[in-house]
Amino acid sequence: MHTPAALSGNGPTDFPGILRHHGLAPQPPAHTPVTGHHSPVTPTHATTILAFKFADGVLVAGDRRATAGNVIMYDRADKVLEIDRHSLMAIAGVPATAWEMARVLEHSFHFFRRTQLAEMSLEGKVRALSKLLRDNLGLVLQGVGVVVPIFATFDTAAGIPRVYFYDPMGAQFEAADFAATGSGSPAVRAVLHHENTYARKPLRKLKAPEAVLLALRALDTAAESDSATGGVDRRARVFPIVKLITRKGIETLPESKLARLYKANLAD
Amino acid sequence: MHEEPFRWVEAIANRREYIEDQLAPGSPIVALGFRDGILLFTLSRERQKIFEIYDRIALGGIGHPGDLERLRLTAIELASTEGFARSADDVALRRLANYSLSPALKAAFEQIYGPPFLARLLFAELGRGAAPNLFLRLDYDGSIRTNGGSFARTFEDFGVIAGKQNAITQMESFLRAQKHSGLSLADTLHLAARTWSVGHLALSAEPDAALPDAARAEEHLREQLAHASVEAAVLEKDAPLAATYRALADDEVRAILL
């Protein structure tokens, strides 16, 4: 048991700093010496996650498959994690690291609100994730902890949805319309780009059911060529996780609704 | 001089008197269990006095702002690290107070060459499922008083603090005569405001004065509302997320009270 940092009056005031003070920090800091050979980072973030803006906000979806090499470990993984009332983090990469990051992030936002008596700014939240990714660089270089997340949120101050994606070192990019990462992302990006550019209406004009259907189709298309992406498994009734963030908050689509929507729109 | 036991006892007694003097003007804080959770209520002039600590724990505090801030941050830090390392379900107010905060307060109070904490804290913890709510008063010397339910005391679904003991006693005897566990939020706000008024009147009354009648309490409340802001927050049983704390806006509460 460590003496609380707050009692001494000159300890750390941010949550990751508090975790380090208590010896609870999950990741080694970035300057930990890297052992072994410097293998090039192989992009084995085997999964597919996507986010795009639609008429009422932003949709975030992820397939359910977790793999280790060519073995399917689990077909019901949840890769879209709720961080606060208006924010979701979707993860592609090593689950152990990613879930730990989501936990740190969720606690950091709560901790900030409780101690500072104000909600953390959007930029602060986006950068908090960036910082976690940078701190994780040691594991990335050892080839065991690559995480490539998407962060989606509804900017309640500006009244608009926002989507950010990251590289494994923590650089953040704001997506104009959509983002996709993971091994199945080339296919998803092709589908979303095609829809956004050549379909009857761009992504940001889609209504909620249309957006959900598109997400299912895009993930299933990715699964067609990528063995590490689960897609839609109608026989086992396993559907991707689909969540919507609107001004009102986060809505998770139930499986029954996804099944109905998907089935009604299959080609004859 | 402090090597002599008698001198030490005298020094502690002086210190207690000094702290009680400092706390004496502290405006009452009322926490009440009701149908949808717990309501915390006070009127304040300058500083915020009701705070969120963790998913199901809230704090009301009177005393020196610097000391309150350190204790508040300590409580948040301990609860957050516990919730992170284990689970939010493992964060327990009773343990937080008994194991961490009380010893720290006692040590500071009895080390007569160091500064004590000038603070009196009221914690409220929303019961899980059918478990009862916990109200816990933590004083500058580390002493703890809870709302009973075990240890051969009748369970009380409320907790109060104020600058003076007679104000606490009056609010407690006022609340013991009320049934409030099934009330709506609006009715609970009225009751909390009346309780606050009873306590606030007692701060300036003789120590053995009788409870003020309802009309006097109501009149006093209206006078005070005219030049203070209302501070209220709820811990809600059916909150959409794990965090149950929600602050109520001044105008939202005023619209109900006036």
Side-chain angles (χ1 to χ4, degrees):
Chain A
M1 185 64 204
H2 298 250
T3 308
L7 267 188
S8 67
N10 56 5
T13 53
D14 65 310
F15 191 66
I18 296 274
L19 287 182
R20 279 193 289 278
H21 176 84
H22 287 264
L24 293 170
Q27 297 118 358
H31 52 74
T32 310
V34 176
T35 54
H37 63 290
H38 289 239
S39 58
V41 179
T42 41
T44 52
H45 4 110
T47 195
T48 307
I49 53 172
L50 65 89
F52 63 83
K53 299 175 188 173
F54 70 106
D56 309 329
V58 52
L59 174 149
V60 185
D63 78 299
R64 308 289 295 273
R65 182 165 293 178
T67 54
N70 61 353
V71 176
I72 298 172
M73 284 184 67
Y74 191 41
D75 242 346
R76 285 176 170 75
D78 183 354
K79 302 167 188 169
V80 184
L81 310 169
E82 296 185 20
I83 303 292
D84 64 27
R85 256 168 233 246
H86 286 100
S87 309
L88 291 172
M89 175 181 162
I91 49 174
V94 177
T97 316
W99 278 319
E100 198 72 48
M101 270 184 198
R103 270 174 71 73
V104 174
L105 213 56
E106 184 191 353
H107 278 77
S108 297
F109 295 173
H110 283 308
F111 185 82
F112 184 92
R113 185 188 70 243
R114 284 167 181 151
T115 56
Q116 309 300 309
L117 305 172
E119 200 66 52
M120 192 189 287
S121 71
L122 176 59
E123 194 177 333
K125 289 179 181 175
V126 170
R127 288 207 45 77
L129 179 51
S130 183
K131 177 77 170 51
L132 285 182
L133 288 166
R134 275 198 66 79
D135 287 350
N136 186 46
L137 191 59
L139 285 179
V140 173
L141 290 176
Q142 290 171 51
V144 288
V146 187
V147 176
V148 191
I150 292 177
F151 185 77
T153 187
F154 198 91
D155 184 346
T156 41
I160 48 172
R162 292 187 188 274
V163 176
Y164 299 86
F165 59 101
Y166 295 80
D167 75 2
M169 278 184 69
Q172 81 220 20
F173 309 95
E174 183 169 2
D177 295 305
F178 63 86
T181 64
S183 55
S185 61
V188 166
R189 283 173 70 173
V191 170
L192 292 179
H193 176 79
H194 184 274
E195 283 289 321
N196 200 28
T197 318
Y198 304 112
R200 267 169 301 176
K201 50 183 170 183
L203 297 177
R204 62 174 69 221
K205 293 209 168 138
L206 293 182
K207 296 200 168 52
E210 295 170 321
V212 172
L213 184 62
L214 175 61
L216 293 177
R217 286 178 175 176
L219 285 172
D220 201 51
T221 306
E224 180 61 23
S225 59
D226 176 30
S227 63
T229 296
V232 176
D233 182 350
R234 279 184 299 142
R235 206 173 310 149
R237 296 188 67 81
V238 179
F239 284 85
I241 299 279
V242 184
K243 291 179 195 265
L244 309 176
I245 318 175
T246 63
R247 193 181 296 274
K248 283 181 287 182
I250 293 169
E251 183 197 347
T252 304
L253 275 288
E255 229 156 65
S256 56
K257 201 166 173 182
L258 293 176
R260 217 175 325 123
L261 203 58
Y262 187 75
K263 197 168 165 223
N265 289 281
L266 276 177
D268 285 326
Chain B
M1 69 177 202
H2 296 295
E3 291 85 54
E4 297 167 53
F6 172 74
R7 299 288 188 146
W8 186 81
V9 170
E10 194 182 57
I12 290 293
N14 286 343
R15 174 172 272 228
R16 189 178 291 281
E17 195 183 319
Y18 164 73
I19 299 174
E20 289 288 355
D21 269 1
Q22 295 290 309
L23 293 179
S27 157
I29 300 175
V30 183
L32 290 176
F34 72 110
R35 192 187 59 199
D36 306 329
I38 294 175
L39 168 73
L40 289 97
F41 180 95
T42 188
L43 294 194
S44 37
R45 293 269 161 82
E46 286 168 22
R47 297 181 280 116
Q48 186 174 341
K49 294 191 294 188
I50 297 175
F51 305 98
E52 176 183 17
I53 297 298
Y54 204 65
D55 288 357
R56 309 179 76 82
I57 303 176
L59 165 70
I62 55 178
H64 191 281
D67 290 340
L68 282 180
E69 191 66 1
R70 269 165 73 205
L71 291 168
R72 176 180 83 86
L73 292 178
T74 302
I76 295 175
E77 178 180 335
L78 290 167
S80 300
T81 46
E82 176 86 354
F84 178 83
R86 298 194 181 85
S87 154
D89 292 342
D90 292 313
V91 177
L93 172 56
R94 215 179 269 277
R95 223 146 44 79
L96 182 69
N98 289 339
Y99 181 69
S100 301
L101 294 175
S102 170
L105 285 162
K106 179 179 190 296
F109 177 65
E110 292 183 352
Q111 281 163 9
I112 41 188
Y113 292 111
F117 287 96
L118 301 183
R120 179 168 289 148
L121 309 175
L122 172 66
F123 287 97
E125 181 181 46
L126 189 61
R128 284 193 171 78
N133 299 325
L134 175 61
F135 299 90
L136 188 148
R137 188 163 82 220
L138 184 61
D139 243 310
Y140 53 85
D141 58 358
S143 67
I144 290 176
R145 186 179 160 87
T146 68
N147 57 324
S150 50
F151 313 115
R153 264 174 52 219
T154 321
F155 170 75
E156 294 162 344
D157 203 13
F158 62 79
V160 293
I161 55 169
K164 287 185 185 168
Q165 183 54 46
N166 69 315
I168 296 176
T169 313
Q170 290 233 331
M171 288 190 286
E172 284 177 343
S173 47
F174 175 75
L175 280 173
R176 277 186 197 119
Q178 314 284 333
K179 290 252 183 292
H180 53 85
S181 289
L183 290 184
S184 68
L185 177 58
D187 291 341
T188 314
L189 273 169
H190 279 289
L191 179 60
R194 273 206 303 281
T195 312
W196 180 89
S197 184
V198 166
H200 198 253
L201 277 167
L203 286 180
S204 50
E206 291 300 314
D208 52 356
L211 272 179
D213 60 37
R216 177 80 189 96
E218 193 63 33
E219 184 198 342
H220 183 69
L221 175 65
R222 279 169 192 277
E223 285 167 17
Q224 294 297 317
L225 274 173
H227 38 81
S229 58
V230 181
E231 225 191 302
V234 282
L235 295 170
E236 292 176 302
K237 273 184 203 161
D238 50 1
L241 292 174
T244 62
Y245 181 92
R246 180 168 70 89
L248 305 177
D250 178 280
D251 47 359
E252 184 184 348
V253 178
R254 230 168 250 272
I256 295 171
L257 288 183
L258 294 175

